[in-house]
Amino acid sequence: MKRLYINGDWHHGASSYTSRSPSDLADVIEEYAIAGAQEVELALGAAHAAAAGWRHSDVQQRADTLDRIGGEILARKTELGTLLAREEGKTLPEAIGEVGRAGAIFKFYAQEALRIRGDKLASVRPGIDVDVTREPVGVIGIIAPWNFPIAIPAWKVAPALAYGNCVVLKPAELVPGSACALAEIIGRAGLPPGVFNLLNGPGRVVGEAMANDHRVDAISFTGSTGTGARVLAACAARRAKVQLEMGGKNPLVILADADLDHAVEVAIQGSYYSTGQRCTASSRLIVDEQIHRRFVAKMVERLSALKVGHALHVDSQIGPVADSAQLEQDMRYIALAQSEGAHLAFGGARLQRATDGYFLSPALFTECAPTMRHVREEIFGPVASVIAARNYEHALELANDTEFGLTAGICTTSLKHATHFKRHARAGMVMVNVPTAGVDYHVPFGGTKGSSYGAREQGSQAVEFFTTVKTSYTGC
Ligand code: UN1
């Protein structure tokens, strides 16, 4: 049984959870301890107590520790990637890539710890100096989703520690394995007890307690729009700092002048890789009507060749859906799309494989209207909807016709349209001739409108969320 990491020690929980692979329900991964109220209390108390000392820790110690954590993650990339692929279902190369990203993030923030800057200004009053410095926020509660079991915890935990905060990490219930492995690595890296704590457990016990407890100074959340709204309300009520990454319904515009084969590749990767379970996935393919017929034909040809299968099989390009609840949601939306009058051009059916898993053939819908519910709501599965556009202006209007604003992509060879799109797409991230999903680890990540709330994650910009600013005046 894998336990909970609290105050530098491994603890039993109130109950346990047995994790199984979505590629093969007969593959039992491990039994994990689940926190109850008592463990939550212990962890919040420990983090709160450790914060007073850790906020003054020297940056060399933080840099060395984060570098060690990153180094071990990278050295064990294949082993950790295999665990990740087993528990979440993304393919082994995708999982190893994600672990590599997590390792690189720790190494990036090891260096960022050495670059915490301030300003020194002359006062407007004579004989006085003004310093503007950055200080740790205190205790950060981290609530992570299941679709990036190690990279998302990494991109929240690493900056939190780099900037001198203590952490209580609540991974998604579905994927405790990668988070436990990360906690073991962090546990060996030499942090003082209480600086990092791991609480596996349900949102209504662990997440809710963190959002409501005065000892948690800030919450960094990635997950569904509905849960995000509840976290925001709880944090607002007690004026805690909060950062939310939620849904997406990301458009990929394909203009008539695009390199069509390249555009099809960008659409396939963005819509279906990682089984479409990314908030950055391209779920709305907005295609110029001049090339619509050719685009759909090429997509169907490419989709028929895609191999859906066990996450650990070498020839699998798309793994299973992560669990039965997500599969039910995907199937519900596939049925809804058909009842709304969309045409199912490919896929959308459960697949049988040698092992009992949640395999679904990637679905492509055409004849979609922008008002249809399956075109407006996030599905979070391997489902994409093609919407025809009359011209570039119409395509841009359709792209922005959404309550979300995470990523927006365009495939075009026109500099004029690419430049215009970068300026006018209402999204936090814009991709020209590259998939809407799959981002760098050293630059800001986040969206506009209903997708995100609060300061940006990742890159040097993460300093905004994980520090507060102090202004000091010194008279002579
Ligand atoms: C990516 O596209 O590489 O939950 C990252 C998500 C996002 C991360 C996507 N927060 O899908």
Side-chain angles (χ1 to χ4, degrees):
M1 158 109 75
K2 292 274 181 191
R3 288 176 289 168
L4 309 165
Y5 189 69
I6 303 170
N7 205 20
D9 245 320
W10 293 94
H11 289 250
H12 292 287
S15 58
S16 71
Y17 166 73
T18 303
S19 168
R20 287 168 186 272
S21 171
S23 297
D24 177 4
L25 298 177
D27 177 17
V28 173
I29 298 168
E30 179 76 76
E31 197 179 345
Y32 297 92
I34 296 295
Q38 200 181 327
E39 292 74 36
V40 174
E41 180 54 36
L42 267 182
L44 298 189
H48 182 67
W54 181 246
R55 65 189 292 117
H56 298 296
S57 56
D58 66 77
V59 292
Q60 187 66 56
Q61 181 192 358
R62 293 184 215 162
D64 290 345
T65 310
L66 292 173
D67 193 66
R68 261 198 302 281
I69 296 168
E72 182 172 343
I73 293 172
L74 291 175
R76 294 172 54 200
K77 213 156 79 163
T78 308
E79 173 209 340
L80 295 171
T82 305
L83 171 64
L84 198 162
R86 265 176 86 203
E87 72 170 351
E88 198 269 351
K90 64 181 67 173
T91 63
L92 186 59
E94 287 175 327
I96 293 174
E98 182 184 333
V99 174
R101 189 198 292 202
I105 287 167
F106 273 96
K107 289 199 163 257
F108 174 79
Y109 283 107
Q111 295 303 305
E112 285 297 283
L114 306 176
R115 296 191 195 105
I116 305 172
R117 293 186 175 84
D119 283 324
K120 192 168 191 74
L121 292 86
S123 169
V124 293
R125 290 169 284 162
I128 294 177
D129 274 345
V130 187
D131 295 309
V132 181
T133 50
R134 289 202 174 263
E135 297 196 336
V137 177
V139 174
I140 314 283
I142 294 177
I143 303 176
W146 51 256
N147 63 333
F148 283 86
I150 196 163
I152 292 182
W155 82 52
K156 294 175 186 291
V157 171
L161 296 176
Y163 299 123
N165 303 284
C166 292
V167 166
V168 181
L169 167 64
K170 186 203 106 55
E173 288 162 270
L174 196 60
V175 291
S178 297
C180 275
L182 179 63
E184 284 167 8
I185 294 170
I186 296 176
R188 276 196 286 279
L191 290 170
V195 170
F196 172 84
N197 306 273
L198 170 77
L199 288 180
N200 289 313
R204 48 171 210 290
V205 177
V206 182
E208 233 175 83
M210 294 202 302
N212 286 300
D213 197 294
H214 70 279
R215 289 167 295 184
V216 178
D217 300 285
I219 297 277
S220 180
F221 167 91
T222 299
S224 71
T225 305
T227 309
R230 286 205 296 281
V231 170
L232 177 61
C235 290
R238 61 183 188 87
R239 293 170 295 279
K241 205 168 179 179
V242 60
Q243 155 184 82
L244 309 172
E245 283 302 333
M246 300 168 288
K249 194 73 191 179
N250 310 295
L252 172 66
V253 169
I254 295 145
L255 295 185
D257 64 25
D259 172 336
L260 198 55
D261 288 332
H262 181 70
V264 166
E265 204 46 49
V266 166
I268 292 282
Q269 281 191 27
S271 304
Y272 303 111
Y273 278 31
S274 299
T275 323
Q277 298 172 153
R278 294 187 280 192
C279 54
T280 47
S282 331
S283 42
R284 294 183 298 136
L285 305 174
I286 299 167
V287 183
D288 191 305
E289 59 191 15
Q290 290 176 53
I291 52 157
H292 183 276
R293 199 185 46 78
R294 279 167 59 221
F295 174 78
V296 172
K298 277 180 184 280
M299 283 291 284
V300 168
E301 191 188 318
R302 189 66 182 75
L303 281 167
S304 340
L306 273 187
K307 296 208 166 53
V308 179
H310 195 298
L312 296 179
H313 286 183
V314 280
D315 55 354
S316 296
Q317 292 166 294
I318 303 212
V321 173
D323 73 346
S324 61
Q326 184 59 53
L327 182 66
E328 274 163 32
Q329 175 161 317
D330 296 349
M331 298 306 287
R332 248 193 337 267
Y333 272 108
I334 288 165
L336 172 70
Q338 286 168 299
S339 74
E340 289 181 310
H343 168 68
L344 182 59
F346 187 85
R350 271 207 76 173
L351 298 172
Q352 297 305 318
R353 291 291 178 261
T355 50
D356 181 17
Y358 303 120
F359 302 105
L360 176 63
S361 60
L364 183 71
F365 282 101
T366 57
E367 321 295 321
C368 301
T371 46
M372 291 177 178
R373 264 185 61 203
H374 82 280
V375 176
R376 306 203 71 82
E377 297 171 16
E378 184 177 49
I379 302 172
F380 217 63
V383 183
S385 314
V386 179
I387 307 149
R390 290 186 297 277
N391 49 35
Y392 168 73
E393 287 71 25
H394 185 214
L396 176 65
E397 188 188 313
L398 289 167
N400 285 336
D401 180 15
T402 169
E403 67 185 68
F404 297 108
L406 190 57
T407 58
I410 189 166
C411 289
T412 178
T413 51
S414 153
L415 180 62
K416 181 177 144 204
H417 288 141
T419 308
H420 190 273
F421 191 77
K422 281 197 276 186
R423 284 198 193 125
H424 296 274
R426 296 205 50 215
M429 294 172 285
V430 179
M431 281 60 171
V432 178
N433 295 323
V434 286
T436 58
V439 298
D440 285 5
Y441 66 82
H442 67 307
V443 288
F445 178 97
T448 59
K449 299 198 272 181
S451 289
S452 306
Y453 180 88
R456 283 280 182 269
E457 297 192 293
Q458 300 201 70
S460 305
Q461 223 101 26
V463 75
E464 296 293 339
F465 183 72
F466 292 103
T467 63
T468 55
V469 169
K470 179 181 273 179
T471 312
S472 317
Y473 297 87
T474 314
C476 325

Coordinates of all heavy atoms in Angstrom, one line a residue, residues 440-469:
D440 N 5.2 24.4 -24.6 CA 6.6 24.5 -24.0 C 6.4 24.6 -22.5 O 5.4 25.1 -22.0 CB 7.3 25.7 -24.6 CG 7.8 25.4 -26.0 OD1 7.5 24.3 -26.5 OD2 8.5 26.2 -26.6
Y441 N 7.5 24.3 -21.8 CA 7.4 24.3 -20.3 C 8.0 25.6 -19.7 O 7.9 25.8 -18.5 CB 8.2 23.1 -19.7 CG 9.7 23.1 -19.9 CD1 10.5 23.8 -19.1 CD2 10.2 22.3 -21.0 CE1 11.9 23.8 -19.3 CE2 11.6 22.3 -21.2 CZ 12.4 23.0 -20.4 OH 13.7 23.0 -20.6
H442 N 8.6 26.5 -20.6 CA 9.3 27.6 -20.0 C 8.7 29.0 -20.3 O 9.3 30.0 -20.1 CB 10.8 27.6 -20.5 CG 10.8 27.9 -22.0 ND1 10.1 27.1 -22.9 CD2 11.5 28.8 -22.7 CE1 10.4 27.6 -24.1 NE2 11.2 28.6 -24.0
V443 N 7.4 28.9 -20.8 CA 6.7 30.1 -21.1 C 5.3 30.1 -20.5 O 4.9 29.0 -20.1 CB 6.6 30.3 -22.7 CG1 7.9 30.7 -23.3 CG2 6.0 29.0 -23.3
P444 N 4.7 31.2 -20.3 CA 3.4 31.2 -19.6 C 2.3 30.3 -20.3 O 2.3 30.2 -21.5 CB 2.9 32.7 -19.7 CG 4.2 33.5 -19.9 CD 5.1 32.6 -20.7
F445 N 1.5 29.8 -19.5 CA 0.3 29.0 -19.9 C -0.9 29.5 -19.3 O -1.0 29.7 -18.1 CB 0.6 27.5 -19.4 CG -0.5 26.6 -19.8 CD1 -0.5 25.8 -20.9 CD2 -1.7 26.5 -19.0 CE1 -1.5 24.9 -21.3 CE2 -2.7 25.6 -19.4 CZ -2.6 24.8 -20.5
G446 N -2.0 29.7 -20.1 CA -3.2 30.1 -19.5 C -4.1 30.7 -20.6 O -3.7 31.0 -21.7
G447 N -5.4 31.0 -20.2 CA -6.4 31.4 -21.1 C -7.1 32.6 -20.7 O -6.8 33.3 -19.7
T448 N -8.1 33.0 -21.5 CA -9.0 34.1 -21.2 C -10.4 33.6 -21.0 O -10.6 32.4 -21.0 CB -9.0 35.1 -22.4 OG1 -9.5 34.3 -23.6 CG2 -7.7 35.6 -22.8
K449 N -11.3 34.4 -20.8 CA -12.8 34.1 -20.7 C -13.0 33.0 -19.6 O -12.3 32.9 -18.6 CB -13.4 33.9 -22.0 CG -13.3 35.1 -23.0 CD -14.3 35.0 -24.1 CE -13.7 34.2 -25.3 NZ -14.6 34.1 -26.4
G450 N -13.8 32.0 -20.0 CA -14.2 31.0 -19.0 C -13.1 29.9 -18.8 O -13.2 29.0 -18.0
S451 N -12.0 30.0 -19.5 CA -10.9 29.0 -19.3 C -10.0 29.1 -18.1 O -9.6 28.1 -17.5 CB -10.0 28.9 -20.6 OG -10.8 28.4 -21.7
S452 N -9.8 30.4 -17.8 CA -8.7 30.6 -16.7 C -9.1 31.7 -15.8 O -9.9 32.6 -16.3 CB -7.4 30.9 -17.4 OG -7.0 29.9 -18.3
Y453 N -8.6 31.7 -14.7 CA -8.8 32.8 -13.7 C -7.6 33.1 -12.9 O -7.0 32.1 -12.4 CB -10.0 32.5 -12.8 CG -10.3 33.6 -11.8 CD1 -11.2 34.6 -12.2 CD2 -9.7 33.6 -10.6 CE1 -11.5 35.6 -11.3 CE2 -10.0 34.6 -9.7 CZ -10.9 35.6 -10.0 OH -11.2 36.6 -9.2
G454 N -7.2 34.3 -12.8 CA -6.0 34.6 -11.9 C -4.7 34.7 -12.7 O -4.8 34.7 -14.0
A455 N -3.6 34.7 -12.0 CA -2.3 34.9 -12.7 C -1.9 33.7 -13.5 O -2.4 32.6 -13.2 CB -1.2 35.2 -11.6
R456 N -1.1 33.9 -14.5 CA -0.7 32.8 -15.4 C 0.2 31.8 -14.7 O 0.9 32.1 -13.7 CB 0.2 33.4 -16.5 CG -0.6 34.1 -17.6 CD -1.2 33.1 -18.6 NE -1.9 33.7 -19.7 CZ -3.2 33.9 -19.6 NH1 -3.9 33.6 -18.6 NH2 -3.8 34.5 -20.7
E457 N 0.1 30.6 -15.2 CA 1.0 29.5 -14.7 C 2.3 29.5 -15.6 O 2.2 29.9 -16.7 CB 0.4 28.2 -14.9 CG -0.9 28.0 -14.0 CD -1.3 26.5 -14.0 OE1 -1.7 26.0 -15.0 OE2 -1.2 25.9 -12.9
Q458 N 3.3 28.8 -15.1 CA 4.5 28.5 -15.9 C 5.4 29.7 -16.3 O 5.0 30.8 -16.3 CB 4.2 27.6 -17.0 CG 3.5 26.3 -16.6 CD 3.6 25.2 -17.7 OE1 4.6 24.7 -17.9 NE2 2.5 24.9 -18.3
G459 N 6.6 29.3 -16.7 CA 7.5 30.3 -17.2 C 7.9 31.2 -16.0 O 7.6 31.0 -14.8
S460 N 8.6 32.3 -16.3 CA 9.0 33.3 -15.3 C 7.8 34.0 -14.7 O 7.8 34.5 -13.6 CB 9.9 34.3 -15.9 OG 11.0 33.7 -16.5
Q461 N 6.7 34.0 -15.5 CA 5.4 34.6 -15.1 C 4.8 34.0 -13.8 O 4.0 34.7 -13.1 CB 4.4 34.6 -16.2 CG 3.6 35.8 -16.4 CD 4.2 36.6 -17.6 OE1 4.8 36.0 -18.5 NE2 4.1 37.9 -17.6
A462 N 5.2 32.8 -13.5 CA 4.6 32.1 -12.4 C 4.9 32.8 -11.1 O 4.2 32.7 -10.1 CB 5.1 30.6 -12.3
V463 N 5.9 33.7 -11.1 CA 6.3 34.4 -9.9 C 5.1 35.3 -9.4 O 5.0 35.6 -8.2 CB 7.6 35.3 -10.2 CG1 7.3 36.5 -11.0 CG2 8.3 35.7 -8.9
E464 N 4.3 35.7 -10.3 CA 3.1 36.6 -9.9 C 2.2 35.9 -9.0 O 1.8 36.5 -8.0 CB 2.3 37.0 -11.2 CG 3.0 37.8 -12.2 CD 3.4 39.2 -11.7 OE1 2.7 39.7 -10.7 OE2 4.3 39.8 -12.2
F465 N 1.9 34.6 -9.2 CA 1.0 33.9 -8.3 C 1.7 33.4 -7.1 O 1.1 33.5 -6.0 CB 0.4 32.7 -9.1 CG -0.6 32.0 -8.2 CD1 -1.9 32.6 -8.0 CD2 -0.3 30.8 -7.6 CE1 -2.8 32.0 -7.1 CE2 -1.2 30.2 -6.7 CZ -2.5 30.7 -6.5
F466 N 2.9 33.0 -7.2 CA 3.5 32.3 -6.0 C 4.3 33.3 -5.1 O 5.0 32.8 -4.2 CB 4.4 31.2 -6.5 CG 3.6 30.0 -7.1 CD1 3.5 29.8 -8.4 CD2 3.0 29.2 -6.2 CE1 2.8 28.8 -9.0 CE2 2.2 28.1 -6.8 CZ 2.1 27.9 -8.1
T467 N 4.2 34.6 -5.4 CA 4.8 35.6 -4.4 C 3.8 36.7 -4.2 O 2.9 36.9 -5.0 CB 6.1 36.2 -5.0 OG1 5.8 36.9 -6.2 CG2 7.2 35.1 -5.3
T468 N 4.1 37.5 -3.1 CA 3.4 38.7 -2.9 C 4.5 39.8 -2.9 O 5.7 39.5 -2.7 CB 2.6 38.8 -1.6 OG1 3.5 38.5 -0.6 CG2 1.5 37.8 -1.6
V469 N 4.1 41.0 -3.2 CA 5.0 42.1 -3.3 C 5.0 43.0 -2.0 O 4.0 43.2 -1.4 CB 4.6 43.0 -4.5 CG1 5.4 44.3 -4.5 CG2 4.9 42.3 -5.8

